[in-house]
């Protein structure tokens, strides 16, 4: 029943097989020597993680995020995963990738077990080859080469194929695991090995001993001796092992494993048969949900269909083992599907016994889509009424909001840096400013959705209009700043967009009450669900994969947050700025009276903001002048730490520490000072080291100022004004969903206009294109028509 396969196994077969496997399937792994286990961090594309792996077995994990704590894991490879499309032979590339992932997890200190199919397919390939070779030379000569190729192959009995293929399958696994300095052992089982108490204890002891020795057990049903398949009717009580789904579930429970990963040729469970138009992947499956699932046909190969997998999974879940069913054949995901599951990413269907009280994020996305479409059909006055009501609630419910915010501040004390605490804090003045900004948004929303931008008479009685429409569903991810929630919600309402909000956990109490007030305002016109707050344990990376539900992602937070979201977004546009490296150039003709006020406000008023000053460029002629001394004295009084740019440092005998990088967003009371020789050099510096956010010139020379304004390629360029004016409220937009430094769609503070796109409306009278052909009866006019004037408030 047990045969341990290690490196000293059959030299002839292994040595013939190993180069073949290395050259065809292990292009990345073949460079690794068996002794290089200590270099796992460098050769693997899977990050090496260190997590607490010990836990008491008995209860399955409630959430995906907990899967990273799984210590003992069973991976079940279905027949469709390990076999080629022609069902003769193995899918070597997929197997190599699976072995790599299992090896990475094993080398992290986890205990990995494989339940594998494939012996029948490998044996079928070998036996077919033997049959072709056994044809007599005479028959081959008389038949001709073409007929030989078409020679009928007899139907091969599965048990014979399994007997012929099992040794080759294990030799292949051993060759692959050897690349990662891991030894594998084969265990073949039948029903009797589980039902006979003595055999079951022996099997249990063998598996535990192998795991203790850091060996990967590879388990399979002994297909050479098993009886023919029977209908799937005995998955009650003591589970059978007549197929590998049942075997994997029984093994997982018997060995008290934390996680069972079942890989098949479908993404997971669907609420309708996969492939049908309205089929949707079920992210989390709960006991009792079987009624909501329609099972399709079985896999193209193998014994167990999806119904068998679900029954086996629920049986394992009841035994305390978490289960994920996922796709192990998709070329874009199979190379990291196992490690993604263990890292808690949203892959396949996760089986959980804990059903959340609220809707899933997918359901929230659907509600936001439906609510947004209803918002867009309201009259402008109705949308404005909702926003006015929300503004009133912010002041009427001030005490409740500040009490919730106080809880957040108390919990964050000692955990968040001072700039983040300032962002987190709400006050009466902040709420009053929010209410004023919301009323500005309400006023500007009167003529937003459905506004005609262009009218053209294509031909007689054929008129075209371009009108503004909502983008669709927005996902706004923000950190620390709860005041962002009502601002963004008001902009979404005014523009008729559905909205998903994902706030930081540090502001959970504040966000919760602000969202409730938003829904209360929406309720006056029966569209409470248009704005959704994501409260589930959804990771941001998982939200960024919902490309069928989300039309635009807007991150508001640190530059690292923006970069992470831009990297994680799968097919969804991201609107955001990479960094807020804002410059102020002090020209040789700058006013002494203005400069210190502008620098102080830009740097010190709110240093954590993305529009705060980070680099001060000083014209060389101002060095060692009273104006320069005033700037330095003011920064010293304000306790601003100064970093010297390379040229500035060269002018000083004793200088501040030279800056490590001129591309730094400090977000605190720190400032880089550098020297330039001209306005052109200042512009060149900004283009080289800036982030295209906000840049300022201070000068009394109008010609120099206009040159700067026209030549600096940034979203916001100012003359004699603080960088802090780069803000939707201060621009009169009411608020902004963010500040964009990209050049597509919207740039700078993005208010109501930036959340709209357009569509074309064509009105005709039985017009067809053929009438406009060379010999047709109609001609194009393409006349511009007057556009209705916007209402002004």
């Amino acid at each position: 029943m047990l045969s341990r396969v290690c490196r000293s196994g059959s030299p002839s077969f292994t040595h013939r097989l190993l180069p073949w496997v290395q050259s065809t399937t292990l292009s990345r792994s073949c460079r690794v020597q068996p002794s290089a286990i200590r270099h796992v961090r460098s050769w693997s594309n899977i990050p090496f993680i260190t997590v607490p792996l010990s836990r008491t077995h008995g209860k399955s994990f409630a959430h995906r995020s907990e899967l990273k704590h799984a210590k003992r894991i069973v991976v079940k490879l279905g027949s469709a995963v390990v076999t080629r499309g022609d069902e003769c032979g193995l899918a070597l590339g997929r197997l190599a990738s699976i072995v790599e992932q299992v090896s990475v997890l094993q080398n992290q200190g986890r205990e990995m077990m494989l339940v594998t199919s494939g012996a029948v397919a490998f044996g079928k390939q070998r036996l077919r080859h033997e049959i072709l070779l056994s044809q007599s030379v005479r028959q081959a000569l008389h038949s001709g080469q073409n007929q030989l190729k078409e020679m009928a192959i007899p139907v091969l009995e599965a048990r014979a194929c399994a007997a012929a293929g099992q040794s080759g399958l294990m030799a292949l696994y051993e060759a692959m695991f050897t690349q990662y300095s891991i030894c594998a052992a084969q265990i073949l089982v039948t029903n009797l090995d589980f039902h006979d108490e003595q055999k079951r204890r022996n099997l249990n002891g063998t598996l535990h001993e192998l795991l203790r020795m850091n060996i990967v057990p590879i388990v399979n049903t002994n297909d050479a001796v098993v009886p023919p398949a029977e209908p799937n009717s005995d998955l009650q009580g003591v589970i059978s092992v007549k197929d590998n789904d049942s075997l994997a579930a029984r093994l997982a429970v018997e060995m008290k494993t934390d996680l069972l990963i079942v890989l098949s040729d479908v993404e997971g469970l669907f609420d309708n048969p996969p492939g049908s138009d309205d089929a949707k992947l079920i992210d989390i499956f709960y006991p009792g949900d079987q009624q909501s699932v329609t099972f399709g046909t079985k896999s193209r190969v193998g014994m167990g269909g999806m119904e068998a997998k679900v029954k086996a999974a629920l049986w394992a879940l009841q035994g305390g083992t978490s289960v994920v069913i996922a796709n192990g054949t998709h070329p874009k995901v199979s190379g990291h599907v196992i490690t993604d599951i263990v890292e808690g990413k949203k892959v396949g269907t996760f089986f959980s016994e804990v059903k959340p009280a609220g809707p899933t994020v997918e359901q929230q996305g659907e509600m936001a889509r439906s609510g947004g479409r209803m918002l867009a059909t309201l009259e402008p006055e109705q949308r404005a009424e909702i926003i006015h009501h929300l503004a009133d609630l912010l002041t009427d419910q001030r005490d409740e909001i500040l009490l919730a915010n106080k809880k957040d501040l108390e919990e964050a004390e000692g955990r968040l840096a001072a700039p983040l605490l300032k962002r987190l804090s709400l006050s009466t003045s902040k709420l009053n400013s929010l209410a004023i900004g919301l009323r500005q948004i309400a006023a500007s929303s009167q003529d937003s959705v459905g506004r005609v931008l262009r009218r053209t008479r294509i031909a007689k009685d054929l008129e075209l209009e371009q009108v503004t429409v909502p983008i669709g569903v927005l996902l706004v991810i923000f950190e620390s700043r709860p005041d962002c929630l009502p601002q963004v919600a008001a902009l979404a309402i005014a523009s008729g967009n559905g909205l998903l909000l994902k706030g930081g956990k540090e502001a959970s109490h504040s966000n919760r009450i602000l969202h409730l007030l938003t829904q209360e305002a929406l309720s006056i016109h029966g569209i409470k669900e248009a704005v959704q707050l994501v409260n589930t344990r959804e990771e941001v990376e998982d939200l960024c994969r919902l490309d069928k539900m989300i039309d635009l992602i807007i991150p508001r937070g640190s530059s690292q947050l923006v970069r992470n979201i831009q990297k994680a977004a799968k097919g969804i546009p991201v609107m955001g700025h990479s960094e807020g490296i804002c410059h102020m150039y002090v020209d040789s003709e700058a006013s002494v009276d203005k400069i210190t006020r502008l620098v102080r406000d830009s740097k010190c008023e709110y240093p954590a903001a993305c529009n705060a000053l980070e680099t001060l460029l000083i014209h060389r002629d101002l060095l060692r002048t009273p104006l320069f001394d005033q700037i330095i004295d003011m920064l010293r009084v304000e306790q601003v730490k100064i970093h010297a740019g390379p040229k500035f440092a060269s002018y000083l005998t004793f200088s501040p520490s030279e800056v490590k990088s001129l591309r730094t967003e400090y977000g605190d009371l720190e400032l880089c000072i550098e020297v330039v020789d001209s306005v052109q050099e200042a512009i060149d510096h900004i283009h080289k080291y800036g982030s295209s956010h906000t840049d300022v010139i201070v000068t009394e020379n109008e010609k120099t100022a206009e040159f700067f304004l026209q030549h600096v390629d940034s979203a916001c360029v100012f003359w004699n004004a603080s960088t802090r004016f780069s803000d939707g409220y201060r621009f009169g937009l009411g608020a902004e969903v963010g500040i964009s430094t990209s050049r597509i769609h919207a740039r700078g503070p993005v208010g109501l206009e930036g959340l709209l796109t357009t569509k074309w409306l064509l009105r005709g009278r039985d017009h067809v294109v053929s009438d406009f052909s060379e010999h047709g009866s109609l001609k194009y006019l393409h006349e511009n028509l007057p556009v209705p004037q916007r209402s002004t408030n």
Side-chain angles (χ1 to χ4, degrees):
M1 181 175 69
L2 166 67
S3 69
R4 176 175 171 180
V5 183
C6 44
R7 299 181 192 84
S8 59
S10 175
S12 59
F13 185 82
T14 303
H15 289 171
R16 282 189 289 113
L17 178 66
L18 188 54
W20 165 55
V21 172
Q22 288 176 325
S23 63
T24 57
T25 66
L26 292 174
S27 59
R28 181 168 60 229
S29 307
C30 64
R31 297 190 294 271
V32 183
Q33 299 303 317
S35 61
I37 187 170
R38 61 184 177 275
H39 299 305
V40 169
R41 295 173 187 267
S42 61
W43 57 253
S44 174
N45 65 331
I46 311 298
F48 192 96
I49 57 175
T50 303
V51 294
L53 297 178
S54 60
R55 77 182 199 93
T56 304
H57 185 81
K59 191 170 181 61
S60 61
F61 294 119
H63 305 282
R64 281 185 185 270
S65 58
E66 298 171 341
L67 295 180
K68 61 179 175 288
H69 300 298
K71 165 72 172 176
R72 185 171 292 174
I73 302 171
V74 172
V75 179
K76 184 265 176 178
L77 308 179
S79 300
V81 176
V82 299
T83 61
R84 296 193 323 226
D86 61 5
E87 301 176 22
C88 292
L90 303 180
L92 295 175
R94 283 200 295 268
L95 275 182
S97 176
I98 288 167
V99 167
E100 179 184 9
Q101 294 173 78
V102 170
S103 299
V104 167
L105 295 174
Q106 180 85 359
N107 286 329
Q108 287 176 356
R110 305 180 199 267
E111 296 174 342
M112 304 299 296
M113 292 181 278
L114 281 183
V115 174
T116 181
S117 303
V120 174
F122 203 171
K124 185 185 290 187
Q125 181 186 38
R126 295 182 67 184
L127 292 182
R128 282 168 62 97
H129 185 64
E130 291 297 325
I131 290 171
L132 285 173
L133 290 178
S134 67
Q135 305 297 329
S136 66
V137 176
R138 186 186 301 276
Q139 183 179 1
L141 291 174
H142 285 292
S143 301
Q145 188 65 25
N146 291 333
Q147 291 184 3
L148 179 61
K149 290 180 180 178
E150 299 171 1
M151 188 177 298
I153 303 295
V155 176
L156 300 175
E157 206 277 328
R159 287 193 292 271
C161 292
Q166 191 65 47
S167 61
L169 176 65
M170 284 307 302
L172 177 62
Y173 272 122
E174 176 61 21
M176 290 180 174
F177 274 113
T178 297
Q179 306 304 306
Y180 306 99
S181 300
I182 291 176
C183 191
Q186 179 186 28
I187 298 180
L188 297 177
V189 297
T190 63
N191 255 323
L192 186 61
D193 297 311
F194 285 98
H195 294 296
D196 183 281
E197 185 62 26
Q198 184 59 49
K199 288 180 177 289
R200 189 173 66 82
R201 284 200 298 268
N202 292 343
L203 173 62
N204 190 294
T206 299
L207 288 167
H208 275 96
E209 183 63 14
L210 292 173
L211 294 176
R212 187 187 67 81
M213 293 188 294
N214 202 34
I215 294 172
V216 176
I218 300 179
V219 187
N220 196 359
T221 52
N222 194 347
D223 293 325
V225 299
V226 294
E230 297 176 1
N232 182 21
S233 59
D234 58 346
L235 284 170
Q236 292 138 7
V238 178
I239 199 166
S240 74
V241 292
K242 64 182 179 56
D243 62 68
N244 278 346
D245 296 316
S246 305
L247 169 60
R250 178 62 194 253
L251 180 68
V253 174
E254 181 74 21
M255 293 298 294
K256 295 182 172 58
T257 57
D258 302 314
L259 173 62
L260 167 61
I261 299 174
V262 179
L263 297 184
S264 181
D265 56 354
V266 293
E267 281 74 11
L269 296 187
F270 289 79
D271 57 358
N272 282 293
S276 60
D277 291 338
D278 53 351
K280 293 180 181 177
L281 180 68
I282 298 173
D283 171 40
I284 306 177
F285 190 82
Y286 307 97
D289 279 357
Q290 293 94 319
Q291 306 301 322
S292 65
V293 179
T294 303
F295 294 104
T297 57
K298 290 187 177 183
S299 167
R300 60 177 173 84
V301 289
M303 296 267 306
M306 188 54 74
E307 189 169 7
K309 289 176 174 56
V310 172
K311 288 183 177 179
L314 291 174
W315 193 89
L317 188 68
Q318 186 179 12
T321 296
S322 296
V323 183
V324 175
I325 296 177
N327 190 337
T329 64
H330 195 292
K332 289 187 178 180
V333 298
S334 58
H336 45 80
V337 60
I338 298 173
T339 48
D340 277 356
I341 290 170
V342 175
E343 289 172 16
K345 294 182 180 178
K346 208 167 193 178
V347 178
T349 299
F350 171 63
F351 285 69
S352 174
E353 292 186 300
V354 180
K355 195 164 187 173
T360 66
V361 70
E362 289 82 3
Q363 291 169 331
Q364 287 186 294
E366 291 174 356
M367 289 188 287
R369 173 81 67 188
S370 175
R373 285 173 175 160
M374 292 177 65
L375 259 177
T377 63
L378 294 179
E379 294 298 324
E381 295 78 11
Q382 293 174 307
R383 290 193 293 272
E385 185 184 0
I386 293 171
I387 300 169
H388 275 296
H389 189 43
L390 177 57
D392 293 339
L393 288 171
L394 290 178
T395 53
D396 295 344
Q397 304 294 324
R398 180 187 301 111
D399 293 342
E400 289 82 353
I401 297 170
L402 295 180
L403 181 61
N405 185 244
K406 183 181 178 183
K407 292 181 182 178
D408 288 326
L409 290 170
E410 289 172 350
E411 292 175 7
E413 191 68 38
R415 294 191 300 109
L416 291 183
L420 292 179
L421 278 174
K422 189 172 182 180
R423 287 187 179 188
L424 178 60
S425 174
L426 292 176
S427 64
T428 299
S429 61
K430 266 192 180 183
L431 293 176
N432 290 336
S433 296
L434 276 174
I436 294 170
L438 263 58
R439 293 187 178 98
Q440 288 181 351
I441 295 171
S444 62
S445 70
Q446 295 293 325
D447 189 19
S448 55
V449 180
R451 177 163 55 91
V452 179
L453 301 178
R454 175 175 178 166
R455 293 179 65 222
T456 305
R457 180 177 287 118
I458 303 295
K460 188 176 184 299
D461 295 326
L462 184 64
E463 293 189 2
L464 178 70
E465 284 185 347
Q466 184 185 21
V467 300
T468 57
V469 294
I471 289 175
V473 174
L474 314 175
L475 168 62
V476 178
I477 302 169
F478 56 100
E479 295 176 322
S480 300
R481 291 183 52 180
D483 55 327
C484 172
L485 193 152
Q487 290 177 332
V488 172
L491 287 168
I493 294 166
S495 57
N497 285 290
L499 179 62
L500 287 174
L501 292 158
K502 175 66 173 174
K505 60 184 178 181
E506 67 278 357
S508 59
H509 299 293
S510 305
N511 289 338
R512 189 177 300 115
I513 187 168
L514 290 170
H515 177 246
L516 287 173
L517 296 177
T518 303
Q519 290 199 315
E520 182 179 336
L522 286 162
S523 297
I524 65 176
H525 287 294
I527 45 176
K528 173 183 176 182
E529 296 176 340
V531 176
Q532 298 286 325
L533 180 64
V534 179
N535 283 319
T536 60
R537 299 168 63 128
E538 242 25 81
E539 295 294 331
V540 168
E541 188 171 338
D542 293 327
L543 291 172
C544 292
R545 290 193 177 101
L546 301 177
D547 57 313
K548 291 182 174 61
M549 298 179 181
I550 297 168
D551 299 295
L552 179 66
I553 301 175
I554 305 173
R556 292 193 62 169
S558 66
S559 57
Q560 187 61 50
L561 172 73
V562 176
R563 284 194 294 268
N564 290 343
I565 291 172
Q566 288 171 332
K567 183 178 179 180
K570 307 296 182 183
I572 309 174
V574 178
M575 182 169 67
H577 60 83
S578 55
E579 291 169 306
I581 306 176
C582 302
H583 292 76
M584 179 177 288
Y585 166 56
V586 182
D587 185 54
S588 59
E589 298 180 65
S591 167
V592 176
D593 298 330
K594 295 175 183 176
I595 184 60
T596 53
R597 277 170 45 82
L598 292 174
V599 174
R600 179 189 290 109
D601 190 77
S602 296
K603 178 72 259 184
C604 308
E605 196 266 343
Y606 191 2
C610 65
N611 57 13
L613 177 64
E614 305 294 5
T615 298
L616 183 65
L617 301 176
I618 304 284
H619 193 284
R620 179 169 52 88
D621 293 347
L622 297 179
L623 291 178
R624 302 184 180 91
T625 65
L627 185 150
F628 178 77
D629 292 340
Q630 285 184 24
I631 296 173
I632 297 301
D633 290 341
M634 181 274 296
L635 293 174
R636 186 179 296 112
V637 170
E638 297 290 341
Q639 298 183 329
V640 177
K641 181 179 180 181
I642 297 175
H643 303 275
K647 289 186 69 175
F648 180 43
S650 68
Y651 281 97
L652 304 175
T653 306
F654 299 98
S655 68
S657 60
E658 187 170 334
V659 68
K660 294 180 180 178
S661 171
L662 290 167
R663 292 191 182 93
T664 301
E665 181 181 15
Y666 298 103
D668 205 346
L669 286 174
E670 297 183 55
L671 180 69
C672 173
I673 297 180
E674 181 59 308
V675 174
V676 293
D677 291 336
S678 65
V679 64
Q680 184 60 59
E681 188 176 336
I683 293 170
D684 292 341
H685 180 102
I686 289 168
H687 288 164
K688 185 173 182 179
Y689 300 109
S691 61
S692 301
H693 191 294
T694 301
D695 298 292
V696 174
I697 182 171
V698 183
T699 184
E700 295 304 302
N701 188 312
E702 182 176 352
K703 185 177 179 180
T704 303
E706 288 299 329
F707 184 85
F708 185 90
L709 293 174
Q710 296 302 320
H711 286 80
V712 171
D713 184 16
S714 295
C716 300
V717 189
F718 302 162
W719 172 24
N720 287 349
S722 168
T723 60
R724 297 277 291 118
F725 278 106
S726 182
D727 176 83
Y729 172 71
R730 295 174 185 125
F731 277 16
L733 306 178
E736 87 257 350
V737 293
I739 296 180
S740 172
T741 56
S742 67
R743 289 167 171 78
I744 298 175
H745 184 63
R747 198 176 186 201
V750 180
L752 179 56
E753 299 290 334
L755 300 181
L756 297 171
T757 183
T758 65
K759 70 178 179 182
W760 297 89
L761 305 177
L762 184 64
R763 297 178 177 90
R765 292 186 180 179
D766 195 28
H767 287 82
V768 293
V769 170
S770 58
D771 286 342
F772 294 86
S773 63
E774 184 178 355
H775 303 291
S777 58
L778 296 176
K779 299 296 181 183
Y780 289 112
L781 299 176
H782 293 150
E783 295 177 358
N784 290 329
L785 299 175
V787 173
Q789 294 299 309
R790 297 184 62 179
S791 62
T792 57
N793 295 292

